[in-house]
């Protein structure tokens, strides 16, 4: 049985990266508990607009947990406390209590400057991918699918790594602002496959160099990243990246 | 040089110096147990080490490891604070998986360094240092009489309590540090993560328990420690 909830949304307002920013609050009345959290924010924005106020800005796109656009830090957890590993868009109002104040903040990291309110600039991740997160493929006739044998286990693990959607929750949760879980997943998805091996050393070095250049922090293995990752990436990826990087540097 | 200007390189420095220090602490812990069995045997070890060139060389190396480990701890912390940015979260919820020690390594490290200074003052200053500067009796006992210095130090409840706090901080520091060092070296994965974590917990618990045992025994039962006759011990040099 669905029931209705009354909650208070305490949301972050900030005009651009240089602005100091502050919290504002809005009371939401009679929200059905099967409403998604983003839908509740849509309702809040309708009410704010109707009251002649500026709506609250936040990122979202597919709203089905696969695009990696939504990025809200809800009640102290990136993406909020969802049913299982999932993004903000998969968070439902039934996860909150009647009368609760829900605090909504942006990803706070020097690597992700605030564009407005809770919308942050995550192009740093794109730059890291551009630095080496690809394989150089010569075009031509496609190979037979079975020409390169890949153990099922490796293929599955590579797929798990590839399921990282680059949302940035790992950076948001990390007390060091480190992007290691993202970078390691993106290095791993290719390092585990034979097609990725020829450029593995170059890739690890280039992506880590770009990550450092963009000002992300040094990983200190607190595991906060894997605890909040909506795609359940593990720090085994980080160990693999360390291995790939050290091996590549020693082979220079 | 990638060791100094890449994030993984800097972590590697922390990892390797940390592992070396764990090995030293292990050696030190084993050495201390000798004092529980025979004071005479313990002092033989003190004489063997003393201010001989090899002991001074090893101490210098050890000091270098400690200094590098501390310097890099601060460099990493400063960089990480900067990467985190100035805006703090209003609400933070610590996930269950995250160990307390892992987020407080610097604080624990600072307690460890303070304890280390006290330790150097209690022992090294009166032993190796006294011999080096040619004032062997400055602490009241022979510089090779480590056993008497232990009795004197741990006979003082304030010192004993401070040493216990110090040991607890080292235990927390090691429970995170040991598996973390292996993770940084890349010697971890889905299976080895749990193994290193278990090895780290067991190893650090045993070592710290040995140290604690020595402190408590010298504190509460100073007359029953180190009473075995060295000559009767199987490994004694006749």
């Amino acid at each position: 049985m669905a029931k209705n909830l009354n909650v208070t949304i305490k949301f972050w307002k900030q005009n651009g990266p240089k602005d100091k920013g502050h919290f504002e609050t809005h009371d939401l009345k009679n929200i059905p508990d099967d409403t998604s959290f983003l839908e509740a924010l849509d309702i809040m924005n309708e009410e704010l607009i109707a009251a002649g106020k500026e709506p609250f800005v936040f990122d979202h796109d597919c709203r089905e947990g696969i695009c990696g656009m939504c990025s809200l830090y809800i009640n102290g957890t990136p993406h909020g406390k969802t049913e299982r590993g999932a993004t903000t868009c998969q968070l439902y109002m039934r996860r909150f209590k009647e009368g609760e104040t829900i605090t909504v903040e942006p990803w706070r990291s020097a690597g992700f400057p605030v564009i407005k309110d809770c919308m942050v600039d995550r192009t740093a991740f794109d730059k890291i991918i551009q630095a080496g997160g690809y394989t150089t493929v010569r075009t031509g006739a496609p190979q037979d699918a079975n020409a390169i044998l890949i153990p099922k286990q490796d293929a599955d693990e590579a797929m798990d790594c590839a399921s990282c959607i680059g949302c940035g929750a790992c950076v948001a949760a990390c007390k060091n602002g480190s992007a290691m879980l993202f970078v390691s997943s993106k290095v791993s998805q290719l390092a585990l496959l034979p097609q990725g091996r020829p450029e593995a050393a170059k890739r690890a070095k280039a992506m880590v160099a770009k990550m450092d250049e963009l000002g992300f922090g040094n990983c200190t293995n607190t595991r906060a990243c894997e605890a909040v990752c909506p795609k359940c990436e593990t720090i085994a990826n980080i160990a693999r990246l360390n291995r790939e990087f050290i091996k590549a540097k020693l082979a220079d | 040089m990638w060791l100094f200007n890449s994030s993984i390189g800097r972590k590697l420095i922390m990892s390797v110096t940390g592992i070396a220090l764990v090995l030293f602490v292990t050696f030190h812990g084993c050495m201390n147990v000798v004092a529980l069995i025979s004071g005479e045997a313990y002092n033989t070890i003190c004489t063997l080490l003393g201010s001989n060139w090899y002991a001074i060389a090893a101490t210098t190396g050890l000091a270098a490891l400690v200094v590098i480990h501390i310097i890099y701890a601060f460099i990493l912390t400063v960089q990480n604070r900067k990467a985190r940015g100035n805006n703090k979260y209003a609400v933070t919820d610590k996930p269950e998986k995250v160990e307390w020690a892992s987020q407080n390594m610097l604080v624990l490290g600072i307690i460890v360094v303070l304890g280390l200074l006290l330790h150097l003052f209690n022992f090294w200053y009166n032993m190796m240092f006294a011999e080096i500067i040619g004032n062997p009796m400055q602490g009241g006992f022979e510089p090779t009489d480590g056993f008497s210095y232990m009795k004197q130090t741990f006979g003082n409840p304030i010192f004993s309590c401070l040493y216990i706090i110090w040991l607890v901080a080292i235990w927390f520091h090691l429970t995170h540090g040991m598996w973390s060092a292996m993770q940084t070296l890349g010697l971890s994965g889905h299976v080895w993560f749990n193994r290193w974590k278990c090895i780290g917990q067991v190893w650090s618990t045993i070592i710290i328990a040995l140290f604690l045992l020595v402190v408590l025994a010298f504190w509460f039962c100073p007359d029953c420690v180190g009473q075995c006759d060295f000559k009767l011990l199987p490994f004694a040099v006749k």
Side-chain angles (χ1 to χ4, degrees):
Chain A
M1 260 303 273
K3 56 177 190 199
N4 288 1
L5 282 176
N6 299 304
V7 293
T8 302
I9 307 282
K10 184 180 169 196
F11 56 99
W12 184 255
K13 293 290 288 178
Q14 185 175 340
N15 272 320
K18 298 253 158 61
D19 184 31
K20 206 162 164 275
H22 64 278
F23 280 107
E24 283 182 15
T25 54
H26 184 83
D27 293 330
L28 279 176
K29 304 251 180 266
N30 275 328
I31 303 293
D33 67 357
D34 52 5
T35 309
S36 82
F37 185 69
L38 291 186
E39 285 168 338
L41 291 182
D42 293 338
I43 295 169
M44 178 177 90
N45 274 345
E46 295 286 344
E47 291 176 6
L48 287 172
I49 292 166
K53 290 182 186 162
E54 192 186 65
F56 168 56
V57 177
F58 57 94
D59 259 328
H60 60 102
D61 191 12
C62 75
R63 296 206 178 194
E64 49 190 28
I66 53 170
C67 76
M69 266 324 270
C70 50
S71 53
L72 294 175
Y73 197 90
I74 303 157
N75 281 348
T77 304
H79 296 301
K81 289 246 166 70
T82 52
E83 267 81 358
R84 53 178 166 29
T87 48
T88 304
C89 59
Q90 305 301 302
L91 175 69
Y92 291 87
M93 294 309 286
R94 57 178 169 269
R95 301 289 290 179
F96 300 102
K97 289 193 281 290
E98 169 65 29
E100 188 173 345
T101 297
I102 305 167
T103 308
V104 186
E105 298 175 74
W107 284 179
R108 296 193 195 274
S109 162
F112 294 155
V114 169
I115 298 170
K116 184 156 174 66
D117 301 349
C118 287
M119 181 188 271
V120 298
D121 183 357
R122 285 170 283 174
T123 46
F125 272 14
D126 299 334
K127 288 179 186 159
I128 294 171
I129 294 290
Q130 281 165 3
Y134 51 80
T135 54
T136 311
V137 179
R138 290 182 183 279
T139 51
Q143 285 197 51
D144 187 339
N146 291 327
I148 302 172
L149 296 177
I150 303 169
K152 173 84 166 72
Q153 206 181 342
D154 292 355
D156 285 352
E157 193 163 358
M159 188 62 217
D160 288 345
C161 298
S163 70
C164 162
I165 49 178
C167 65
C170 44
V171 177
C174 179
K175 78 178 183 72
N176 307 317
S178 169
M180 282 289 274
L181 192 63
F182 165 74
V183 177
S184 66
S185 299
K186 293 300 162 197
V187 163
S188 292
Q189 69 187 20
L190 297 172
L192 283 160
L193 299 176
Q195 292 93 331
R197 290 314 307 170
E199 291 167 301
K202 191 178 125 206
R203 178 181 309 113
K205 287 188 285 186
M207 290 177 79
V208 169
K210 184 54 86 176
M211 171 185 83
D212 292 345
E213 180 198 317
L214 292 168
F216 289 103
N218 308 281
C219 171
T220 64
N221 306 318
T222 68
R223 301 174 72 206
C225 54
E226 69 171 3
V228 301
C229 177
K231 296 296 165 184
C232 306
E233 299 298 342
T234 74
I235 61 161
N237 295 349
I238 297 181
R240 186 179 297 107
L241 171 60
N242 291 337
R243 206 154 56 227
E244 292 284 335
F245 181 84
I246 294 168
K247 215 162 63 182
K249 286 293 184 185
L250 291 178
D252 275 348
Chain B
M1 177 69 174
W2 66 277
L3 266 180
F4 310 109
N5 57 22
S6 77
S7 59
I8 297 178
R10 288 185 289 266
K11 283 290 297 165
L12 192 66
I13 292 174
M14 285 303 276
S15 161
V16 172
T17 52
I19 292 170
L21 292 171
V22 167
L23 292 176
F24 162 73
V25 168
T26 307
F27 159 73
H28 193 324
C30 296
M31 203 174 71
N32 283 8
V33 177
V34 176
L36 289 179
I37 303 163
S38 162
E40 202 188 334
Y42 183 74
N43 283 350
T44 307
I45 298 174
C46 294
T47 313
L48 184 70
L49 295 172
S51 61
N52 293 307
W53 68 268
Y54 47 84
I56 292 176
T59 308
T60 311
L62 195 60
L65 286 175
V66 174
V67 169
I68 293 169
H69 198 75
I70 295 169
I71 288 174
Y72 270 84
F74 279 99
I75 291 175
L76 289 169
T77 305
V78 168
Q79 287 181 335
N80 290 348
R81 289 259 164 97
K82 203 173 146 218
R84 194 76 183 85
N86 295 326
N87 277 329
K88 299 264 176 285
Y89 286 114
V91 183
T92 44
D93 184 51
K94 202 181 76 150
E96 278 170 30
K97 269 190 186 176
V98 177
E99 303 159 5
W100 176 82
S102 75
Q103 300 213 306
N104 294 283
M105 288 299 269
L106 186 77
V107 178
L108 288 168
I110 290 169
I111 299 173
V112 172
V113 171
L114 292 176
L116 181 64
L117 293 176
L118 175 70
H119 184 54
L120 290 177
F121 167 72
N122 285 150
F123 293 94
W124 178 80
Y125 177 71
N126 290 328
M127 295 168 75
M128 184 190 273
F129 186 71
E131 257 189 86
I132 294 171
I133 60 164
N135 184 17
M137 295 303 286
Q138 69 175 7
F141 303 106
E142 287 288 334
T144 53
D145 191 2
F147 189 71
S148 298
Y149 281 116
M150 283 172 92
K151 277 196 165 178
Q152 187 192 45
T153 306
F154 301 127
N156 182 334
I158 296 170
F159 282 149
S160 286
C161 288
L162 289 173
Y163 272 78
I164 290 167
I165 295 170
W166 184 40
L167 290 171
V168 172
I170 299 175
W171 182 82
F172 273 114
H173 200 78
L174 293 190
T175 51
H176 175 70
M178 284 179 74
W179 74 258
S180 184
M182 294 304 167
Q183 167 83 6
T184 301
L185 283 172
L187 301 173
S188 188
H190 295 294
V191 176
W192 272 94
F193 168 72
N194 289 317
R195 290 182 184 165
W196 285 128
K197 229 180 145 187
C198 179
I199 292 169
Q201 294 271 1
V202 172
W203 190 315
S204 42
T205 306
I206 291 174
I207 298 299
I208 297 303
L210 288 180
F211 279 110
L212 270 179
L213 186 68
V214 171
V215 175
L216 295 174
F218 274 80
W219 184 7
F220 292 109
C221 196
D223 297 328
C224 55
V225 287
Q227 295 303 310
C228 290
D229 187 352
F230 182 33
K231 304 282 180 303
L232 297 177
L233 292 174
F235 52 79
V237 184
K238 297 280 185 323

